[in-house]
Amino acid sequence: MSHVESDVSRVVEPAELGSGSAVLAFDVGGTDIKSALFDVDGTALGLRRTPTPEPGADLPERLIARLLELAAQLREEHPDVVPAAVGLVVPGIVDEVAGIGVFASNMGWRDAPIRALAEEAFGLPVAFDHDVRTGGWAEHVLGGARPYPDSIVLIIGTGIAGALLLGGKPFTAGGYAGEVGHSPVADEPVCACGARGCLEAIASAGAIARRYAEQSGERVDGAKEVIERAAAGDEIAARVWNEALDALALSLAQLTAVVAPQAIVIAGGLSRAGGALFDELRARLAARLSFHRIPDLVPAQLRGNAGILGAALRAREIA
Amino acid sequence: MSHVESDVSRVVEPAELGSGSAVLAFDVGGTDIKSALFDVDGTALGLRRTPTPEPGADLPERLIARLLELAAQLREEHPDVVPAAVGLVVPGIVDEVAGIGVFASNMGWRDAPIRALAEEAFGLPVAFDHDVRTGGWAEHVLGGARPYPDSIVLIIGTGIAGALLLGGKPFTAGGYAGEVGHSPVADEPVCACGARGCLEAIASAGAIARRYAEQSGERVDGAKEVIERAAAGDEIAARVWNEALDALALSLAQLTAVVAPQAIVIAGGLSRAGGALFDELRARLAARLSFHRIPDLVPAQLRGNAGILGAALRAREIA
């Protein structure tokens, strides 16, 4: 198995997941799969990243076969840890009630009965859910959203995704809620999704780097470098970063007016761009509102492991 | 009592409210109070409008005194109908759990313990809630939102207000959710609330008439006349109406991406501007989205009586 990157150092402490059943957990992304076996103390055993199979017509079947291989390897390494259930989270539009992967552009599937396929293959109950919503759930149970019954978790990285937690529970709308990244905030530019003026096309880390490169003719190593160049006086970088902050503040103001969460928890690469992000967003959000109840803006705590921790939580709920 | 306008013709049929306890219901607005006694068949007896007392420091007390007068009159007219509870709905920010009128610009109160005052005065249990959310609840139970567990009810009139119904229940966020009219969609104009670019400042019936008058120098008799002038070739009217439709479509697209309701129910004066509104909004909403699940756009059914019907429903829930 190529490109196996051990990642145990970035898992939260076992006590944070807490004790419960042993479970297998998989966080499947467009590029790689995170897999681990969680023991009864909540320790992630053998946590690793491996490449996701190439997209194609039979990806659901090939993906499940890959997950079975990963599980067999984990079981072999830890023969005394016997999982009682599987947690499996994937990107795209996910109907977690029906167990269907409705659509995922980077996986290429439509209406794939992934939970049924996985249950048949594993012979275990499978908790199947959406990667971002499950990560939001983990932030709610274990991380930055813990104090707040009503919160929105935003992941700002290559793209922008969101999860609504209302009344202490995920609000999913059949898998369609929380697409903050593809909520339009302007009339341009055209977004990869086909709509125009999506927040993601202006304010994601990916968009910040791309827009700077387009406007300056210079390649940069991600949004972090654009922010550094802006701080150093680069006018193009300053404009791109300023437009991203304005678009984010506008979107946060809309979420505040309509959903009125007690907190907006920000995760993903851009959330680690430094304190400047949170201070800037707080000031710009306040400037866009009047009588509204301004939410706390707080950093996520689980970093890249929210998805797999959420998958483990979901698996324990059915174990 | 001055300006008593009987309004019985616009109440829905008794069968639509259905049978239950007899209750008193009050829908208090900035200008007038709607009051009625609902009998056990659900018929609204003595439904009328009377002026709201002038704003001032002791408005809560004067308002409750007025409601007692109205109740005495209704009881005198219908001595055999004995109410078991009172439903009372008011505008502004309302904490219906605590029974507090948190804030209302047109009433001038802050943190007014209205439910406790009313219960003491009436000697009956009082269901206290927000006018728009209660109207949305009535549309969910009796009207246009009935088929949909997840819907957003938008009232587009002098202002723009909204109510979220999620999983078949109002989602309130302590009274702060649903302020679609004060969700910013642009950088200008300044809104009466103090923020800028609020949807209400561009797309409410009030804003359409005001913006046309400002740009043309001609007074018009409401948004309906602006729409008629636009259809007749008036370029300023066409621009104002086009900007309102674009702002509404943008806001509906944001609601679709983030909350993903199955339906958006549109009430208020502008919703009766003719079929053009719904056809235009459907086309412009579809043009702003891609993979999203496009909600049904449906007209409200209860017209101006949603608030008082909702107040009666709420009163019956505690009778």
Side-chain angles (χ1 to χ4, degrees):
Chain A
M1 214 163 290
S2 63
H3 185 59
V4 174
E5 176 198 330
S6 181
D7 200 25
V8 175
S9 64
R10 282 169 56 199
V11 177
V12 296
E13 292 303 306
E16 291 186 61
L17 183 59
S19 56
S21 299
V23 293
L24 282 161
F26 301 99
D27 178 2
V28 176
T31 308
D32 56 28
I33 299 166
K34 279 188 162 184
S35 55
L37 180 61
F38 286 79
D39 69 15
V40 294
D41 297 322
T43 307
L45 304 171
L47 178 62
R48 68 199 57 174
R49 290 174 194 258
T50 48
T52 304
E54 292 297 312
D58 59 343
L59 178 58
E61 290 76 8
R62 286 183 289 120
L63 172 64
I64 302 296
R66 176 70 60 88
L67 300 183
L68 272 182
E69 289 170 20
L70 290 165
Q73 191 177 352
L74 287 163
R75 295 291 313 281
E76 197 180 303
E77 293 162 9
H78 306 280
D80 50 341
V81 178
V82 181
V86 177
L88 168 57
V89 304
V90 302
I93 302 290
V94 173
D95 183 340
E96 81 285 354
V97 176
I100 304 287
V102 177
F103 172 68
S105 60
N106 52 356
M107 311 300 278
W109 60 49
R110 276 193 184 275
D111 296 322
I114 296 174
R115 186 174 62 206
L117 289 171
E119 286 188 331
E120 195 185 337
F122 280 97
L124 286 172
V126 174
F128 175 69
D129 211 327
H130 183 246
D131 54 357
V132 172
R133 288 201 301 273
T134 309
W137 179 241
E139 284 290 341
H140 177 72
V141 175
L142 303 169
R146 209 165 15 179
Y148 309 100
D150 298 331
S151 66
I152 296 177
V153 179
L154 278 189
I155 298 100
I156 309 177
T158 311
I160 296 180
L164 276 59
L165 291 142
L166 305 181
K169 290 190 297 191
F171 175 74
T172 68
Y176 288 92
E179 292 285 356
V180 180
H182 297 286
S183 179
V185 293
D187 284 335
E188 53 180 14
V190 172
C191 179
C193 80
R196 61 198 164 86
C198 291
L199 179 65
E200 174 170 309
I202 301 167
S204 65
I208 291 167
R210 188 175 59 247
R211 282 158 66 85
Y212 178 79
E214 283 167 5
Q215 293 177 33
S216 70
E218 294 179 42
R219 282 198 58 188
V220 282
D221 187 25
K224 194 157 180 290
E225 191 178 333
V226 179
I227 298 167
E228 286 164 2
R229 289 187 181 208
D234 179 329
E235 285 183 20
I236 296 173
R239 186 174 67 230
V240 166
W241 177 226
N242 185 57
E243 287 171 356
L245 288 169
D246 272 350
L248 281 170
L250 179 60
S251 188
L252 297 182
Q254 292 159 355
L255 296 175
T256 301
V258 173
V259 182
Q262 295 156 310
I264 297 174
V265 179
I266 302 181
L270 202 65
S271 72
R272 298 188 287 274
L277 176 74
F278 285 86
D279 292 342
E280 282 285 352
L281 287 181
R282 283 188 195 102
R284 292 178 195 225
L285 174 60
R288 294 239 51 158
L289 296 173
S290 61
F291 63 90
H292 314 70
R293 182 179 66 178
I294 296 180
D296 293 347
L297 298 188
V298 297
Q301 292 179 0
L302 306 181
R303 305 193 52 156
N305 290 312
I308 197 160
L309 286 165
L313 286 170
R314 285 285 181 231
R316 280 185 164 184
E317 289 166 16
I318 62 161
Chain B
M1 215 162 289
S2 63
H3 184 59
V4 174
E5 179 201 326
S6 180
D7 199 24
V8 177
S9 65
R10 282 171 54 200
V11 179
V12 295
E13 293 303 306
E16 291 187 59
L17 182 59
S19 57
S21 301
V23 293
L24 282 161
F26 302 100
D27 178 3
V28 176
T31 308
D32 55 27
I33 299 166
K34 281 188 162 185
S35 54
L37 180 61
F38 286 80
D39 68 14
V40 293
D41 297 322
T43 306
L45 304 170
L47 177 62
R48 68 198 56 173
R49 290 173 194 261
T50 48
T52 304
E54 293 296 312
D58 58 345
L59 179 57
E61 289 76 10
R62 287 182 289 119
L63 172 63
I64 302 296
R66 175 71 59 85
L67 299 183
L68 273 181
E69 289 169 21
L70 290 165
Q73 193 178 347
L74 286 163
R75 295 292 311 280
E76 199 181 302
E77 293 164 7
H78 305 281
D80 51 338
V81 178
V82 182
V86 176
L88 169 56
V89 304
V90 303
I93 302 290
V94 172
D95 183 341
E96 81 286 352
V97 177
I100 304 288
V102 178
F103 171 69
S105 59
N106 53 355
M107 312 300 278
W109 60 49
R110 276 193 185 274
D111 296 323
I114 296 175
R115 186 173 62 205
L117 290 171
E119 286 188 331
E120 194 184 339
F122 280 98
L124 287 172
V126 174
F128 175 68
D129 210 327
H130 183 245
D131 55 357
V132 171
R133 288 201 301 271
T134 308
W137 179 242
E139 285 290 341
H140 176 73
V141 176
L142 304 168
R146 207 165 15 179
Y148 308 100
D150 299 332
S151 67
I152 297 177
V153 179
L154 279 188
I155 298 99
I156 310 176
T158 310
I160 295 180
L164 276 59
L165 291 141
L166 305 182
K169 291 190 296 192
F171 175 75
T172 69
Y176 289 91
E179 293 285 357
V180 180
H182 297 287
S183 179
V185 293
D187 284 335
E188 52 178 14
V190 172
C191 179
C193 81
R196 60 196 164 88
C198 292
L199 179 66
E200 175 170 309
I202 301 167
S204 64
I208 291 167
R210 188 175 61 248
R211 283 158 66 85
Y212 178 78
E214 284 167 6
Q215 293 178 31
S216 69
E218 295 179 40
R219 282 197 57 190
V220 282
D221 186 26
K224 194 159 179 289
E225 190 177 333
V226 179
I227 298 166
E228 286 164 2
R229 288 187 182 208
D234 179 330
E235 283 183 19
I236 295 172
R239 185 175 65 231
V240 167
W241 177 227
N242 184 57
E243 287 171 359
L245 287 169
D246 272 350
L248 282 170
L250 179 61
S251 189
L252 296 182
Q254 291 158 356
L255 296 175
T256 301
V258 173
V259 182
Q262 294 155 310
I264 297 176
V265 179
I266 302 181
L270 202 65
S271 72
R272 298 188 287 275
L277 175 73
F278 285 86
D279 292 343
E280 281 286 352
L281 286 181
R282 283 189 195 102
R284 291 179 195 223
L285 174 59
R288 293 239 54 157
L289 297 173
S290 60
F291 63 89
H292 314 70
R293 182 179 67 177
I294 297 182
D296 292 346
L297 299 188
V298 297
Q301 292 179 359
L302 307 180
R303 305 192 53 157
N305 290 312
I308 195 159
L309 286 166
L313 286 170
R314 286 284 181 232
R316 281 186 164 183
E317 289 166 16
I318 61 161

Short mmCIF file of all heavy atoms in Angstrom, two decimals, chain A residues 92-96 102-103 110-111 130 133 162 164 171-180, chain B residues 254-262 290-294:
data_model
loop_
_atom_site.label_atom_id
_atom_site.label_comp_id
_atom_site.label_asym_id
_atom_site.label_seq_id
_atom_site.Cartn_x
_atom_site.Cartn_y
_atom_site.Cartn_z
N GLY A 92 -19.70 15.09 -0.57
CA GLY A 92 -20.77 15.26 -1.55
C GLY A 92 -22.12 15.48 -0.89
O GLY A 92 -22.21 15.95 0.23
N ILE A 93 -23.17 15.15 -1.63
CA ILE A 93 -24.52 15.19 -1.08
C ILE A 93 -24.81 13.79 -0.55
O ILE A 93 -24.75 12.81 -1.31
CB ILE A 93 -25.57 15.56 -2.15
CG1 ILE A 93 -25.26 16.92 -2.79
CG2 ILE A 93 -26.98 15.54 -1.56
CD1 ILE A 93 -25.46 18.10 -1.89
N VAL A 94 -25.07 13.70 0.75
CA VAL A 94 -25.24 12.40 1.40
C VAL A 94 -26.60 12.36 2.08
O VAL A 94 -26.94 13.25 2.86
CB VAL A 94 -24.13 12.18 2.45
CG1 VAL A 94 -24.39 10.92 3.25
CG2 VAL A 94 -22.77 12.11 1.77
N ASP A 95 -27.38 11.34 1.75
CA ASP A 95 -28.63 11.11 2.48
C ASP A 95 -28.34 10.06 3.54
O ASP A 95 -28.36 8.86 3.27
CB ASP A 95 -29.72 10.63 1.51
CG ASP A 95 -31.07 10.45 2.20
OD1 ASP A 95 -31.09 10.32 3.45
OD2 ASP A 95 -32.08 10.43 1.49
N GLU A 96 -28.06 10.54 4.75
CA GLU A 96 -27.61 9.62 5.80
C GLU A 96 -28.77 8.79 6.35
O GLU A 96 -28.54 7.74 6.94
CB GLU A 96 -26.90 10.40 6.93
CG GLU A 96 -27.82 11.07 7.94
CD GLU A 96 -28.50 12.32 7.41
OE1 GLU A 96 -28.18 12.75 6.29
OE2 GLU A 96 -29.36 12.86 8.13
N VAL A 102 -25.67 10.47 -2.58
CA VAL A 102 -26.55 11.00 -3.64
C VAL A 102 -25.72 11.50 -4.81
O VAL A 102 -25.99 11.22 -5.98
CB VAL A 102 -27.44 12.13 -3.09
CG1 VAL A 102 -28.30 12.74 -4.19
CG2 VAL A 102 -28.30 11.63 -1.93
N PHE A 103 -24.66 12.24 -4.49
CA PHE A 103 -23.84 12.84 -5.55
C PHE A 103 -22.53 13.30 -4.93
O PHE A 103 -22.51 13.80 -3.81
CB PHE A 103 -24.57 14.05 -6.16
CG PHE A 103 -23.73 14.85 -7.10
CD1 PHE A 103 -23.33 14.31 -8.33
CD2 PHE A 103 -23.30 16.12 -6.77
CE1 PHE A 103 -22.54 15.03 -9.20
CE2 PHE A 103 -22.50 16.85 -7.64
CZ PHE A 103 -22.13 16.31 -8.86
N ARG A 110 -23.46 8.62 -8.20
CA ARG A 110 -24.81 9.16 -8.08
C ARG A 110 -25.70 8.08 -7.48
O ARG A 110 -25.74 6.97 -7.98
CB ARG A 110 -25.38 9.55 -9.44
CG ARG A 110 -24.95 10.92 -9.88
CD ARG A 110 -25.76 11.41 -11.07
NE ARG A 110 -25.24 12.69 -11.53
CZ ARG A 110 -25.57 13.87 -11.03
NH1 ARG A 110 -26.48 13.95 -10.07
NH2 ARG A 110 -25.04 14.98 -11.48
N ASP A 111 -26.40 8.43 -6.42
CA ASP A 111 -27.36 7.50 -5.78
C ASP A 111 -26.74 6.13 -5.52
O ASP A 111 -27.32 5.09 -5.86
CB ASP A 111 -28.63 7.38 -6.63
CG ASP A 111 -29.36 8.72 -6.72
OD1 ASP A 111 -29.38 9.43 -5.70
OD2 ASP A 111 -29.91 9.03 -7.78
N HIS A 130 -22.13 12.13 6.20
CA HIS A 130 -21.41 13.11 5.41
C HIS A 130 -20.15 13.56 6.16
O HIS A 130 -20.20 13.79 7.36
CB HIS A 130 -22.33 14.31 5.18
CG HIS A 130 -21.75 15.38 4.32
ND1 HIS A 130 -21.47 16.64 4.79
CD2 HIS A 130 -21.40 15.37 3.02
CE1 HIS A 130 -20.97 17.36 3.80
NE2 HIS A 130 -20.93 16.63 2.72
N ARG A 133 -20.53 17.18 7.87
CA ARG A 133 -21.51 17.20 8.96
C ARG A 133 -21.03 16.36 10.14
O ARG A 133 -21.24 16.71 11.30
CB ARG A 133 -22.86 16.68 8.47
CG ARG A 133 -23.57 17.66 7.55
CD ARG A 133 -25.06 17.38 7.49
NE ARG A 133 -25.36 16.05 7.03
CZ ARG A 133 -25.51 15.69 5.76
NH1 ARG A 133 -25.37 16.59 4.81
NH2 ARG A 133 -25.80 14.46 5.42
N GLY A 162 -19.87 23.57 5.17
CA GLY A 162 -20.46 23.94 6.44
C GLY A 162 -21.35 22.86 6.99
O GLY A 162 -21.82 21.97 6.27
N LEU A 164 -24.62 22.62 9.94
CA LEU A 164 -25.50 23.29 10.89
C LEU A 164 -25.79 22.35 12.05
O LEU A 164 -26.21 21.21 11.84
CB LEU A 164 -26.83 23.68 10.22
CG LEU A 164 -26.88 24.98 9.43
CD1 LEU A 164 -25.88 25.00 8.30
CD2 LEU A 164 -28.30 25.23 8.90
N PHE A 171 -28.56 19.53 11.56
CA PHE A 171 -29.70 19.77 10.69
C PHE A 171 -29.22 19.53 9.27
O PHE A 171 -28.30 20.21 8.79
CB PHE A 171 -30.25 21.19 10.84
CG PHE A 171 -31.34 21.47 9.84
CD1 PHE A 171 -32.60 20.91 10.02
CD2 PHE A 171 -31.09 22.20 8.70
CE1 PHE A 171 -33.60 21.12 9.09
CE2 PHE A 171 -32.10 22.42 7.77
CZ PHE A 171 -33.35 21.87 7.96
N THR A 172 -29.82 18.55 8.58
CA THR A 172 -29.25 18.09 7.30
C THR A 172 -30.11 18.41 6.08
O THR A 172 -29.59 18.54 4.98
CB THR A 172 -29.02 16.57 7.34
OG1 THR A 172 -30.30 15.92 7.37
CG2 THR A 172 -28.22 16.17 8.56
N ALA A 173 -31.43 18.50 6.25
CA ALA A 173 -32.34 18.74 5.09
C ALA A 173 -32.07 17.72 3.99
O ALA A 173 -31.89 18.09 2.82
CB ALA A 173 -32.20 20.18 4.58
N GLY A 174 -32.04 16.46 4.36
CA GLY A 174 -31.85 15.41 3.36
C GLY A 174 -30.47 15.43 2.72
O GLY A 174 -30.25 14.85 1.66
N GLY A 175 -29.54 16.13 3.35
CA GLY A 175 -28.17 16.19 2.83
C GLY A 175 -27.85 17.49 2.12
O GLY A 175 -26.71 17.69 1.72
N TYR A 176 -28.82 18.37 1.97
CA TYR A 176 -28.61 19.58 1.17
C TYR A 176 -28.25 20.82 2.00
O TYR A 176 -27.83 21.84 1.44
CB TYR A 176 -29.84 19.86 0.32
CG TYR A 176 -30.00 18.88 -0.82
CD1 TYR A 176 -30.77 17.73 -0.67
CD2 TYR A 176 -29.36 19.09 -2.04
CE1 TYR A 176 -30.90 16.81 -1.71
CE2 TYR A 176 -29.48 18.19 -3.07
CZ TYR A 176 -30.26 17.05 -2.91
OH TYR A 176 -30.36 16.16 -3.92
N ALA A 177 -28.43 20.77 3.32
CA ALA A 177 -28.17 21.96 4.12
C ALA A 177 -26.68 22.19 4.34
O ALA A 177 -25.87 21.26 4.23
CB ALA A 177 -28.88 21.84 5.47
N GLY A 178 -26.31 23.41 4.65
CA GLY A 178 -24.95 23.72 5.07
C GLY A 178 -23.98 24.04 3.95
O GLY A 178 -22.78 24.16 4.19
N GLU A 179 -24.48 24.20 2.72
CA GLU A 179 -23.57 24.47 1.60
C GLU A 179 -23.20 25.95 1.56
O GLU A 179 -23.44 26.65 0.57
CB GLU A 179 -24.20 24.01 0.28
CG GLU A 179 -24.35 22.51 0.16
CD GLU A 179 -23.03 21.78 -0.12
OE1 GLU A 179 -21.99 22.46 -0.30
OE2 GLU A 179 -23.06 20.54 -0.15
N VAL A 180 -22.58 26.40 2.63
CA VAL A 180 -22.22 27.82 2.76
C VAL A 180 -21.23 28.22 1.67
O VAL A 180 -21.28 29.34 1.15
CB VAL A 180 -21.65 28.10 4.16
CG1 VAL A 180 -21.28 29.57 4.31
CG2 VAL A 180 -22.65 27.69 5.25
N GLN B 254 -29.33 31.97 -1.33
CA GLN B 254 -28.56 31.78 -0.09
C GLN B 254 -29.32 30.88 0.88
O GLN B 254 -28.74 29.99 1.51
CB GLN B 254 -28.28 33.15 0.55
CG GLN B 254 -27.30 33.98 -0.26
CD GLN B 254 -27.38 35.46 0.02
OE1 GLN B 254 -28.23 35.92 0.78
NE2 GLN B 254 -26.51 36.22 -0.62
N LEU B 255 -30.62 31.11 1.01
CA LEU B 255 -31.43 30.26 1.90
C LEU B 255 -31.39 28.81 1.40
O LEU B 255 -31.33 27.87 2.21
CB LEU B 255 -32.88 30.76 1.94
CG LEU B 255 -33.10 32.16 2.53
CD1 LEU B 255 -34.56 32.56 2.38
CD2 LEU B 255 -32.68 32.21 4.00
N THR B 256 -31.44 28.63 0.10
CA THR B 256 -31.42 27.29 -0.48
C THR B 256 -30.10 26.59 -0.18
O THR B 256 -30.07 25.42 0.20
CB THR B 256 -31.65 27.37 -2.00
OG1 THR B 256 -32.91 28.00 -2.24
CG2 THR B 256 -31.62 25.99 -2.64
N ALA B 257 -28.99 27.31 -0.35
CA ALA B 257 -27.68 26.69 -0.12
C ALA B 257 -27.47 26.35 1.35
O ALA B 257 -26.94 25.29 1.67
CB ALA B 257 -26.57 27.64 -0.61
N VAL B 258 -27.90 27.22 2.23
CA VAL B 258 -27.55 27.07 3.65
C VAL B 258 -28.59 26.23 4.40
O VAL B 258 -28.24 25.30 5.13
CB VAL B 258 -27.38 28.44 4.32
CG1 VAL B 258 -27.19 28.29 5.82
CG2 VAL B 258 -26.20 29.18 3.70
N VAL B 259 -29.86 26.56 4.25
CA VAL B 259 -30.92 25.89 5.02
C VAL B 259 -31.59 24.79 4.21
O VAL B 259 -32.07 23.80 4.76
CB VAL B 259 -31.98 26.92 5.50
CG1 VAL B 259 -33.04 26.25 6.34
CG2 VAL B 259 -31.32 28.06 6.28
N ALA B 260 -31.64 24.96 2.89
CA ALA B 260 -32.20 23.95 1.99
C ALA B 260 -33.63 23.54 2.36
O ALA B 260 -33.94 22.36 2.47
CB ALA B 260 -31.29 22.73 1.91
N PRO B 261 -34.53 24.52 2.53
CA PRO B 261 -35.92 24.15 2.81
C PRO B 261 -36.54 23.47 1.60
O PRO B 261 -36.09 23.68 0.47
CB PRO B 261 -36.59 25.51 3.06
CG PRO B 261 -35.80 26.46 2.22
CD PRO B 261 -34.36 25.98 2.33
N GLN B 262 -37.57 22.65 1.86
CA GLN B 262 -38.28 22.04 0.73
C GLN B 262 -39.14 23.07 0.01
O GLN B 262 -39.44 22.91 -1.17
CB GLN B 262 -39.14 20.89 1.24
CG GLN B 262 -38.30 19.76 1.80
CD GLN B 262 -39.07 18.93 2.81
OE1 GLN B 262 -39.68 19.48 3.74
NE2 GLN B 262 -39.05 17.63 2.64
N SER B 290 -26.70 25.56 -8.80
CA SER B 290 -26.19 24.48 -9.66
C SER B 290 -26.70 23.14 -9.13
O SER B 290 -27.78 22.71 -9.50
CB SER B 290 -24.66 24.54 -9.73
OG SER B 290 -24.08 24.38 -8.45
N PHE B 291 -25.93 22.50 -8.24
CA PHE B 291 -26.30 21.16 -7.75
C PHE B 291 -27.35 21.22 -6.64
O PHE B 291 -27.82 20.19 -6.18
CB PHE B 291 -25.06 20.46 -7.19
CG PHE B 291 -24.48 21.17 -6.01
CD1 PHE B 291 -24.91 20.90 -4.72
CD2 PHE B 291 -23.53 22.16 -6.18
CE1 PHE B 291 -24.41 21.59 -3.63
CE2 PHE B 291 -23.02 22.86 -5.11
CZ PHE B 291 -23.46 22.57 -3.83
N HIS B 292 -27.69 22.41 -6.21
CA HIS B 292 -28.57 22.57 -5.05
C HIS B 292 -29.96 21.99 -5.32
O HIS B 292 -30.38 21.85 -6.46
CB HIS B 292 -28.71 24.05 -4.70
CG HIS B 292 -27.42 24.82 -4.68
ND1 HIS B 292 -26.72 25.11 -5.83
CD2 HIS B 292 -26.72 25.36 -3.66
CE1 HIS B 292 -25.62 25.80 -5.51
NE2 HIS B 292 -25.60 25.97 -4.19
N ARG B 293 -30.67 21.68 -4.24
CA ARG B 293 -32.07 21.24 -4.37
C ARG B 293 -32.95 22.47 -4.35
O ARG B 293 -33.08 23.13 -3.32
CB ARG B 293 -32.42 20.32 -3.19
CG ARG B 293 -33.84 19.77 -3.27
CD ARG B 293 -34.15 18.86 -2.11
NE ARG B 293 -34.18 19.59 -0.84
CZ ARG B 293 -34.49 19.04 0.34
NH1 ARG B 293 -34.76 17.75 0.41
NH2 ARG B 293 -34.49 19.77 1.43
N ILE B 294 -33.56 22.79 -5.46
CA ILE B 294 -34.34 24.03 -5.58
C ILE B 294 -35.67 23.87 -4.85
O ILE B 294 -36.41 22.92 -5.11
CB ILE B 294 -34.53 24.40 -7.06
CG1 ILE B 294 -33.14 24.67 -7.68
CG2 ILE B 294 -35.43 25.62 -7.21
CD1 ILE B 294 -33.18 25.09 -9.12
#
